[in-house]
Amino acid sequence: AMLKGLLWSRLHYEDLDLAYSFIFNTDNKSDSKLYLLHNKIITEFSNLDYHVSKEKVSSQISVRYPDDIQLIAKNDRYEVTVNIHDNVEVNDREMVDTGFMGRISDSLSWRSIGNPKGLRLLAKADIIINNNMVRTEFKGITSISEYVSFVK
């Protein structure tokens, strides 16, 4: 059985804001988006490449979810690599400062909270941003995610 579900994540650190969402197990990569706010510029990426190298089973509900994920987002100016690892389940509404993207996302209409197959996850993210030969690296930034399983 494949992972099937929707993952929505965001993180915030100093002048970096990152948010992304994608649907697992579709051939149609246009279901994925990544927004980067860096150096006061917002960049939107679609068609993310992603690879899940590890899964976990929820301790709260019988749902499998992605634990280790590698994401690559590219456009003319940027290549952004995000490596998400060490996911843990949390119950709290907000435990980290999710910054600008978090404030946008909290106004979104859909919510995993209240969804019987929904989980809230905290994870660590390692990020590499290549922009016009300039490489910026961030290690171990806390990200907050919501994952909704589509598996019946």
Side-chain angles (χ1 to χ4, degrees):
M2 297 268 301
L3 274 176
K4 289 191 172 90
L6 172 72
L7 182 75
W8 162 257
S9 300
R10 54 213 185 264
L11 55 88
H12 168 65
Y13 179 78
E14 292 177 356
D15 69 336
L16 172 76
D17 270 293
L18 194 69
Y20 55 85
S21 67
F22 53 90
I23 294 178
F24 286 98
N25 192 34
T26 76
D27 299 324
N28 179 0
K29 286 192 197 159
S30 64
D31 285 336
S32 57
K33 283 260 187 279
L34 184 145
Y35 297 92
L36 171 70
L37 173 61
H38 186 238
N39 299 332
K40 299 190 169 57
I41 297 167
I42 292 187
T43 308
E44 178 183 330
F45 304 84
S46 324
N47 307 321
L48 311 182
D49 280 313
Y50 66 85
H51 173 68
V52 177
S53 53
K54 201 167 119 201
E55 297 173 13
K56 274 185 184 170
V57 176
S58 165
S59 58
Q60 301 169 16
I61 50 178
S62 57
V63 163
R64 284 190 310 139
Y65 62 89
D67 184 21
D68 284 15
I69 311 165
Q70 291 79 40
L71 283 184
I72 299 174
K74 288 182 187 157
N75 67 10
D76 308 338
R77 296 197 315 270
Y78 282 99
E79 180 177 296
V80 181
T81 306
V82 184
N83 184 9
I84 301 113
H85 53 93
D86 297 311
N87 274 288
V88 291
E89 295 172 53
V90 290
N91 294 316
D92 262 324
R93 263 296 291 124
E94 278 306 333
M95 289 174 45
V96 294
D97 174 12
T98 54
F100 173 73
M101 297 297 181
R103 288 192 285 279
I104 289 180
S105 69
D106 284 336
S107 67
L108 288 177
S109 55
W110 67 265
R111 270 266 152 271
S112 71
I113 304 309
N115 184 306
K117 299 268 186 180
L119 288 173
R120 177 169 282 250
L121 304 166
L122 281 184
K124 295 291 179 206
D126 305 325
I127 301 152
I128 300 169
I129 300 170
N130 284 305
N131 173 19
N132 300 334
M133 311 303 290
V134 178
R135 181 184 163 104
T136 313
E137 270 194 71
F138 300 91
K139 279 262 197 253
I141 296 182
T142 299
S143 80
I144 190 161
S145 303
E146 289 166 43
Y147 180 70
V148 177
S149 174
F150 298 155
V151 179
K152 291 280 179 279

